[in-house]
Amino acid sequence: MFRKTFLVLTLFLVFACNEDSKQREEIDKINIEFKVERFDQKFANAEPEDLPQLKRDYPFLFPAQYPDSVWVNKMQDSIQLELNTEVTAAFKDFSKEEDELKTLFQHIKYYFPSFKAPTVITVTSDVDYRNKVLLTPDFLFIALDTYLGKDHQFYMGIQEYLKKNFERAQILPDVASQYAERYVPQPQKKNFLATMLYYGKLLYLKDRWLPDTPDFEKIGYTEEELKWADANEEQIWRYFVDKELIFDSDTKLYSRFLYPAPFSKFYLELDNESPAMLGQYIGWHIIRDYMDKNDVSLQEMLDTDAETIFNKAKYKPKK
Protein backbone atom coordinates (compact mmCIF):
# COMPACT_ATOMS: atom_id res chain seq x y z
CA MET A 1 0.00 0.00 0.00
CA PHE A 2 2.84 2.37 0.92
CA ARG A 3 4.64 1.69 -2.37
CA LYS A 4 1.49 2.36 -4.38
CA THR A 5 0.86 5.64 -2.56
CA PHE A 6 4.49 6.67 -3.00
CA LEU A 7 4.34 5.87 -6.72
CA VAL A 8 1.15 7.90 -7.21
CA LEU A 9 2.65 10.85 -5.33
CA THR A 10 5.86 10.65 -7.35
CA LEU A 11 3.97 10.57 -10.66
CA PHE A 12 1.84 13.52 -9.54
CA LEU A 13 4.92 15.59 -8.66
CA VAL A 14 6.63 14.73 -11.95
CA PHE A 15 3.51 15.68 -13.90
CA ALA A 16 3.15 18.94 -11.96
CA CYS A 17 6.80 19.84 -12.58
CA ASN A 18 6.46 19.09 -16.29
CA GLU A 19 3.33 21.25 -16.52
CA ASP A 20 5.08 24.09 -14.69
CA SER A 21 8.09 23.84 -16.99
CA LYS A 22 5.87 23.84 -20.09
CA GLN A 23 3.96 26.88 -18.83
CA ARG A 24 7.18 28.79 -18.20
CA GLU A 25 8.36 28.04 -21.71
CA GLU A 26 5.09 29.40 -23.12
CA ILE A 27 5.36 32.54 -21.02
CA ASP A 28 8.99 33.11 -22.03
CA LYS A 29 7.92 33.10 -25.70
CA ILE A 30 5.37 35.89 -25.25
CA ASN A 31 6.48 38.99 -27.11
CA ILE A 32 6.41 42.08 -24.91
CA GLU A 33 7.65 45.45 -26.08
CA PHE A 34 7.86 48.47 -23.81
CA LYS A 35 10.16 51.39 -23.10
CA VAL A 36 11.73 52.61 -19.91
CA GLU A 37 12.08 56.39 -19.85
CA ARG A 38 14.55 57.62 -17.23
CA PHE A 39 12.89 60.97 -16.63
CA ASP A 40 14.62 61.16 -13.25
CA GLN A 41 17.99 61.26 -15.01
CA LYS A 42 16.85 63.68 -17.70
CA PHE A 43 15.51 66.12 -15.12
CA ALA A 44 18.61 65.72 -12.96
CA ASN A 45 20.89 66.58 -15.91
CA ALA A 46 18.72 69.38 -17.30
CA GLU A 47 19.54 73.08 -17.35
CA PRO A 48 16.85 75.79 -17.41
CA GLU A 49 17.22 76.11 -21.18
CA ASP A 50 16.29 72.42 -21.51
CA LEU A 51 12.90 72.92 -19.87
CA PRO A 52 10.90 73.63 -23.07
CA GLN A 53 12.04 70.33 -24.60
CA LEU A 54 11.28 68.40 -21.42
CA LYS A 55 7.78 69.88 -21.38
CA ARG A 56 7.25 68.86 -24.99
CA ASP A 57 8.46 65.31 -24.32
CA TYR A 58 6.62 64.87 -21.00
CA PRO A 59 3.68 67.30 -20.94
CA PHE A 60 1.81 65.15 -18.41
CA LEU A 61 4.56 65.78 -15.83
CA PHE A 62 4.29 69.56 -16.06
CA PRO A 63 0.79 70.72 -15.05
CA ALA A 64 -0.23 73.83 -16.97
CA GLN A 65 -1.19 75.78 -13.85
CA TYR A 66 2.46 75.97 -12.74
CA PRO A 67 4.71 78.58 -14.38
CA ASP A 68 8.13 77.67 -15.70
CA SER A 69 9.75 79.37 -12.73
CA VAL A 70 8.49 76.55 -10.48
CA TRP A 71 10.39 73.95 -12.51
CA VAL A 72 13.51 76.09 -12.87
CA ASN A 73 13.58 76.60 -9.10
CA LYS A 74 13.11 72.88 -8.59
CA MET A 75 16.09 72.13 -10.86
CA GLN A 76 18.24 74.31 -8.63
CA ASP A 77 16.71 73.37 -5.27
CA SER A 78 19.23 71.89 -2.84
CA ILE A 79 16.89 69.12 -1.67
CA GLN A 80 16.10 68.14 -5.27
CA LEU A 81 19.81 68.12 -6.09
CA GLU A 82 20.44 65.77 -3.17
CA LEU A 83 17.58 63.54 -4.31
CA ASN A 84 19.11 63.46 -7.79
CA THR A 85 22.50 62.47 -6.42
CA GLU A 86 21.18 59.66 -4.24
CA VAL A 87 18.84 58.22 -6.87
CA THR A 88 21.53 58.35 -9.55
CA ALA A 89 23.96 56.52 -7.27
CA ALA A 90 21.42 53.83 -6.35
CA PHE A 91 19.83 53.39 -9.79
CA LYS A 92 22.61 54.12 -12.23
CA ASP A 93 21.69 50.77 -13.81
CA PHE A 94 18.01 49.89 -14.09
CA SER A 95 18.48 46.88 -16.38
CA LYS A 96 17.67 44.27 -13.70
CA GLU A 97 14.35 45.93 -12.95
CA GLU A 98 13.65 46.28 -16.67
CA ASP A 99 14.15 42.53 -17.13
CA GLU A 100 11.93 41.80 -14.13
CA LEU A 101 9.21 44.09 -15.44
CA LYS A 102 9.33 42.33 -18.80
CA THR A 103 8.85 38.97 -17.11
CA LEU A 104 5.97 40.37 -15.04
CA PHE A 105 4.31 41.79 -18.15
CA GLN A 106 4.71 38.43 -19.93
CA HIS A 107 2.98 36.69 -17.03
CA ILE A 108 0.13 39.19 -16.97
CA LYS A 109 -0.39 38.82 -20.72
CA TYR A 110 -0.34 35.02 -20.42
CA TYR A 111 -3.32 35.12 -18.05
CA PHE A 112 -4.97 38.23 -19.51
CA PRO A 113 -4.27 38.31 -23.28
CA SER A 114 -5.69 41.81 -23.80
CA PHE A 115 -2.96 43.27 -21.57
CA LYS A 116 -0.79 45.96 -23.16
CA ALA A 117 2.54 46.87 -21.65
CA PRO A 118 2.88 50.51 -20.61
CA THR A 119 5.67 53.00 -21.08
CA VAL A 120 7.61 52.91 -17.82
CA ILE A 121 8.75 56.30 -16.55
CA THR A 122 11.08 56.60 -13.56
CA VAL A 123 10.79 59.80 -11.53
CA THR A 124 11.61 61.38 -8.20
CA SER A 125 8.68 62.47 -6.06
CA ASP A 126 9.97 64.29 -2.97
CA VAL A 127 9.66 60.89 -1.26
CA ASP A 128 5.90 60.68 -1.77
CA TYR A 129 5.70 57.19 -0.25
CA ARG A 130 1.92 57.08 -0.59
CA ASN A 131 2.37 57.06 -4.36
CA LYS A 132 5.45 54.93 -4.90
CA VAL A 133 3.96 53.46 -8.07
CA LEU A 134 1.27 55.10 -10.19
CA LEU A 135 -0.50 53.42 -13.07
CA THR A 136 -2.44 55.07 -15.89
CA PRO A 137 -3.83 53.47 -19.07
CA ASP A 138 -0.60 54.26 -20.94
CA PHE A 139 2.08 54.90 -18.34
CA LEU A 140 3.63 53.28 -15.29
CA PHE A 141 5.40 55.78 -13.03
CA ILE A 142 7.94 54.52 -10.50
CA ALA A 143 9.24 56.96 -7.88
CA LEU A 144 12.79 55.75 -7.36
CA ASP A 145 13.38 57.98 -4.36
CA THR A 146 10.99 55.76 -2.40
CA TYR A 147 13.16 52.66 -2.93
CA LEU A 148 16.55 53.69 -1.56
CA GLY A 149 16.56 51.25 1.37
CA LYS A 150 14.75 51.45 4.70
CA ASP A 151 17.73 52.96 6.53
CA HIS A 152 18.30 55.82 4.09
CA GLN A 153 18.61 59.27 5.63
CA PHE A 154 15.72 60.60 3.54
CA TYR A 155 13.33 58.43 5.51
CA MET A 156 14.15 59.69 9.01
CA GLY A 157 10.94 60.33 10.90
CA ILE A 158 8.86 57.94 8.79
CA GLN A 159 7.37 55.03 10.74
CA GLU A 160 9.22 51.73 10.60
CA TYR A 161 6.27 49.74 9.29
CA LEU A 162 6.27 51.94 6.20
CA LYS A 163 10.06 52.16 5.74
CA LYS A 164 10.51 48.40 5.70
CA ASN A 165 9.10 48.36 2.16
CA PHE A 166 11.23 51.22 0.82
CA GLU A 167 13.58 48.58 -0.56
CA ARG A 168 14.60 48.09 -4.18
CA ALA A 169 13.26 44.53 -4.14
CA GLN A 170 9.79 45.90 -3.45
CA ILE A 171 9.47 47.66 -6.82
CA LEU A 172 8.23 44.56 -8.62
CA PRO A 173 5.62 43.52 -6.00
CA ASP A 174 4.37 47.12 -5.86
CA VAL A 175 3.93 47.21 -9.63
CA ALA A 176 2.17 43.84 -9.54
CA SER A 177 -0.19 45.17 -6.85
CA GLN A 178 -1.22 48.07 -9.05
CA TYR A 179 -2.03 45.74 -11.93
CA ALA A 180 -3.79 43.21 -9.70
CA GLU A 181 -6.21 45.91 -8.59
CA ARG A 182 -7.26 46.27 -12.24
CA TYR A 183 -8.25 42.63 -12.54
CA VAL A 184 -9.81 41.84 -9.16
CA PRO A 185 -13.44 43.01 -8.82
CA GLN A 186 -14.40 44.89 -5.68
CA PRO A 187 -16.20 42.64 -3.17
CA GLN A 188 -19.95 42.34 -3.62
CA LYS A 189 -20.56 42.41 0.13
CA LYS A 190 -18.94 44.69 2.67
CA ASN A 191 -18.03 42.27 5.38
CA PHE A 192 -14.75 41.01 6.81
CA LEU A 193 -14.73 37.76 4.83
CA ALA A 194 -15.42 39.43 1.49
CA THR A 195 -12.71 42.00 2.07
CA MET A 196 -10.22 39.38 3.27
CA LEU A 197 -10.80 37.40 0.10
CA TYR A 198 -10.51 40.50 -2.06
CA TYR A 199 -6.98 40.96 -0.74
CA GLY A 200 -6.43 37.22 -1.01
CA LYS A 201 -7.25 37.40 -4.72
CA LEU A 202 -4.79 40.27 -5.18
CA LEU A 203 -2.07 38.23 -3.50
CA TYR A 204 -2.95 35.11 -5.45
CA LEU A 205 -2.43 37.01 -8.70
CA LYS A 206 1.04 37.79 -7.41
CA ASP A 207 1.55 34.04 -6.90
CA ARG A 208 0.84 33.52 -10.59
CA TRP A 209 2.67 36.60 -11.86
CA LEU A 210 5.72 36.53 -9.58
CA PRO A 211 6.59 32.85 -9.19
CA ASP A 212 10.19 33.60 -8.19
CA THR A 213 9.38 36.31 -5.64
CA PRO A 214 9.38 35.26 -1.96
CA ASP A 215 6.01 35.30 -0.22
CA PHE A 216 7.14 37.85 2.34
CA GLU A 217 7.88 40.37 -0.42
CA LYS A 218 4.54 39.71 -2.14
CA ILE A 219 2.61 40.72 0.97
CA GLY A 220 5.07 43.38 2.13
CA TYR A 221 6.31 41.59 5.26
CA THR A 222 9.80 41.03 6.55
CA GLU A 223 10.94 37.40 6.64
CA GLU A 224 10.43 37.41 10.41
CA GLU A 225 6.88 38.71 10.10
CA LEU A 226 5.93 35.97 7.65
CA LYS A 227 7.45 33.35 9.95
CA TRP A 228 5.34 34.72 12.80
CA ALA A 229 2.18 34.54 10.69
CA ASP A 230 2.97 31.00 9.55
CA ALA A 231 3.67 29.86 13.11
CA ASN A 232 0.44 31.38 14.42
CA GLU A 233 -1.94 30.74 11.52
CA GLU A 234 -4.21 28.43 13.51
CA GLN A 235 -4.43 30.84 16.45
CA ILE A 236 -5.21 33.79 14.13
CA TRP A 237 -8.03 31.88 12.48
CA ARG A 238 -9.39 30.63 15.79
CA TYR A 239 -9.53 34.23 17.05
CA PHE A 240 -11.47 35.32 13.96
CA VAL A 241 -13.91 32.44 14.42
CA ASP A 242 -14.30 32.70 18.21
CA LYS A 243 -14.92 36.45 18.04
CA GLU A 244 -17.44 35.91 15.20
CA LEU A 245 -15.59 38.29 12.92
CA ILE A 246 -15.88 36.32 9.67
CA PHE A 247 -19.18 37.83 8.53
CA ASP A 248 -18.93 41.00 10.60
CA SER A 249 -19.47 44.23 8.66
CA ASP A 250 -17.69 46.50 11.18
CA THR A 251 -15.23 48.55 9.09
CA LYS A 252 -12.97 48.99 12.12
CA LEU A 253 -11.79 45.45 11.40
CA TYR A 254 -10.08 46.75 8.26
CA SER A 255 -7.67 48.97 10.17
CA ARG A 256 -7.17 46.22 12.75
CA PHE A 257 -6.38 43.37 10.36
CA LEU A 258 -6.29 44.42 6.71
CA TYR A 259 -4.46 47.72 6.29
CA PRO A 260 -0.74 48.49 6.73
CA ALA A 261 -0.01 49.36 10.35
CA PRO A 262 2.66 48.75 13.00
CA PHE A 263 0.86 45.54 14.06
CA SER A 264 -2.50 43.75 14.05
CA LYS A 265 -4.90 44.64 16.84
CA PHE A 266 -6.20 41.60 18.70
CA TYR A 267 -6.25 43.70 21.89
CA LEU A 268 -4.02 41.09 23.49
CA GLU A 269 -0.49 41.14 24.89
CA LEU A 270 0.84 39.57 21.69
CA ASP A 271 -0.21 42.55 19.54
CA ASN A 272 3.26 44.12 19.47
CA GLU A 273 4.71 40.82 18.25
CA SER A 274 2.26 40.44 15.38
CA PRO A 275 2.59 41.86 11.87
CA ALA A 276 -0.20 43.93 10.36
CA MET A 277 -2.53 42.71 7.59
CA LEU A 278 -3.14 39.27 9.05
CA GLY A 279 -6.61 39.36 7.49
CA GLN A 280 -4.93 39.65 4.09
CA TYR A 281 -2.66 36.75 5.03
CA ILE A 282 -5.62 34.52 5.96
CA GLY A 283 -7.57 35.57 2.84
CA TRP A 284 -4.55 34.62 0.72
CA HIS A 285 -4.46 31.13 2.24
CA ILE A 286 -8.19 30.63 1.76
CA ILE A 287 -7.84 31.50 -1.93
CA ARG A 288 -4.88 29.14 -2.28
CA ASP A 289 -6.90 26.32 -0.71
CA TYR A 290 -9.84 27.08 -2.98
CA MET A 291 -7.66 26.90 -6.10
CA ASP A 292 -5.95 23.72 -4.92
CA LYS A 293 -9.24 21.93 -4.23
CA ASN A 294 -11.38 23.12 -7.14
CA ASP A 295 -10.93 22.78 -10.89
CA VAL A 296 -11.58 26.40 -11.85
CA SER A 297 -9.80 28.91 -14.03
CA LEU A 298 -8.12 32.01 -12.68
CA GLN A 299 -10.85 34.22 -14.13
CA GLU A 300 -13.59 32.03 -12.64
CA MET A 301 -12.01 32.42 -9.22
CA LEU A 302 -11.79 36.19 -9.62
CA ASP A 303 -15.49 36.33 -10.51
CA THR A 304 -16.65 34.02 -7.71
CA ASP A 305 -18.21 35.54 -4.60
CA ALA A 306 -16.58 35.26 -1.21
CA GLU A 307 -19.07 32.90 0.46
CA THR A 308 -18.84 30.38 -2.39
CA ILE A 309 -15.07 30.45 -2.26
CA PHE A 310 -15.09 30.11 1.52
CA ASN A 311 -17.45 27.14 1.47
CA LYS A 312 -15.56 25.31 -1.27
CA ALA A 313 -12.08 26.10 0.02
CA LYS A 314 -12.66 24.04 3.19
CA TYR A 315 -9.86 26.10 4.67
CA LYS A 316 -7.87 24.48 7.46
CA PRO A 317 -5.00 26.51 8.90
CA LYS A 318 -1.66 24.91 9.54
CA LYS A 319 -1.16 23.85 13.15
Side-chain angles (χ1 to χ4, degrees):
M1 181 66 181
F2 173 78
R3 289 181 179 177
K4 183 177 179 181
T5 302
F6 180 78
L7 178 60
V8 169
L9 179 60
T10 301
L11 290 173
F12 173 79
L13 291 173
V14 169
F15 177 77
C17 288
N18 287 340
E19 284 294 300
D20 184 61
S21 178
K22 180 181 177 182
Q23 185 184 78
R24 288 200 174 218
E25 288 178 8
E26 292 175 356
I27 292 172
D28 287 341
K29 292 177 182 177
I30 293 174
N31 182 42
I32 287 288
E33 294 182 2
F34 69 101
K35 294 190 301 181
V36 174
E37 298 272 1
R38 292 298 305 270
F39 177 80
D40 62 296
Q41 291 182 342
K42 293 179 181 179
F43 191 81
N45 295 325
E47 299 293 339
E49 57 266 28
D50 300 318
L51 182 58
Q53 186 62 52
L54 280 178
K55 291 176 69 175
R56 284 192 292 271
D57 292 342
Y58 303 96
F60 42 82
L61 291 176
F62 296 93
Q65 65 265 34
Y66 295 108
D68 287 356
S69 59
V70 169
W71 309 114
V72 171
N73 290 338
K74 190 172 181 64
M75 287 178 180
Q76 301 168 341
D77 179 73
S78 60
I79 295 176
Q80 181 63 44
L81 292 173
E82 190 176 359
L83 274 175
N84 295 343
T85 298
E86 294 298 307
V87 168
T88 298
F91 290 97
K92 185 176 182 180
D93 183 6
F94 198 69
S95 58
K96 178 176 181 290
E97 284 75 20
E98 187 169 350
D99 289 342
E100 290 174 339
L101 287 169
K102 179 182 178 181
T103 301
L104 169 61
F105 295 158
Q106 286 175 315
H107 278 77
I108 298 175
K109 192 168 183 65
Y110 177 80
Y111 291 105
F112 301 94
S114 64
F115 169 80
K116 293 183 180 179
T119 296
V120 178
I121 300 180
T122 58
V123 299
T124 58
S125 66
D126 297 323
V127 192
D128 181 6
Y129 57 83
R130 292 180 178 84
N131 295 292
K132 297 163 71 182
V133 172
L134 286 176
L135 185 61
T136 74
D138 299 314
F139 300 105
L140 170 66
F141 298 96
I142 302 174
L144 297 184
D145 55 334
T146 61
Y147 294 103
L148 296 174
K150 63 184 176 65
D151 296 321
H152 197 280
Q153 60 183 351
F154 288 166
Y155 309 145
M156 288 181 61
I158 299 175
Q159 291 177 285
E160 291 296 325
Y161 79 91
L162 295 169
K163 292 196 294 186
K164 71 184 180 186
N165 284 316
F166 293 4
E167 299 287 345
R168 187 168 186 158
Q170 201 61 35
I171 292 176
L172 198 64
D174 285 350
V175 172
S177 292
Q178 290 293 306
Y179 275 105
E181 289 177 9
R182 286 191 164 190
Y183 292 102
V184 178
Q186 288 291 320
Q188 297 171 5
K189 293 185 178 180
K190 300 298 182 182
N191 59 36
F192 190 48
L193 175 68
T195 312
M196 276 201 302
L197 295 192
Y198 168 75
Y199 284 106
K201 290 177 180 183
L202 294 175
L203 287 162
Y204 189 80
L205 283 184
K206 289 188 183 181
D207 285 340
R208 292 289 184 95
W209 293 348
L210 304 175
D212 299 320
T213 298
D215 281 355
F216 72 90
E217 289 179 359
K218 293 175 193 170
I219 194 172
Y221 279 172
T222 63
E223 289 187 71
E224 292 71 24
E225 287 175 330
L226 183 62
K227 288 177 182 176
W228 191 98
D230 287 342
N232 291 277
E233 183 180 350
E234 184 183 24
Q235 287 73 24
I236 298 165
W237 180 244
R238 184 183 301 152
Y239 179 90
F240 290 170
V241 172
D242 290 348
K243 297 295 183 179
E244 299 182 346
L245 304 183
I246 305 303
F247 298 102
D248 198 322
S249 58
D250 184 356
T251 56
K252 291 179 182 178
L253 293 171
Y254 301 174
S255 58
R256 289 176 62 190
F257 298 113
L258 292 169
Y259 296 159
F263 47 78
S264 290
K265 298 177 180 67
F266 296 93
Y267 303 132
L268 300 171
E269 289 186 9
L270 58 75
D271 280 10
N272 286 332
E273 302 173 14
S274 69
M277 306 185 299
L278 288 173
Q280 290 195 30
Y281 170 86
I282 294 295
W284 191 10
H285 283 261
I286 293 172
I287 295 293
R288 283 177 167 177
D289 279 4
Y290 174 76
M291 294 301 285
D292 286 343
K293 296 172 184 174
N294 296 272
D295 184 17
V296 296
S297 70
L298 185 64
Q299 188 61 58
E300 287 173 327
M301 178 272 287
L302 296 178
D303 292 336
T304 301
D305 66 275
E307 288 190 35
T308 300
I309 288 177
F310 179 62
N311 291 332
K312 292 187 176 181
K314 298 180 174 62
Y315 169 65
K316 290 185 179 179
K318 297 188 296 291
K319 296 183 178 181

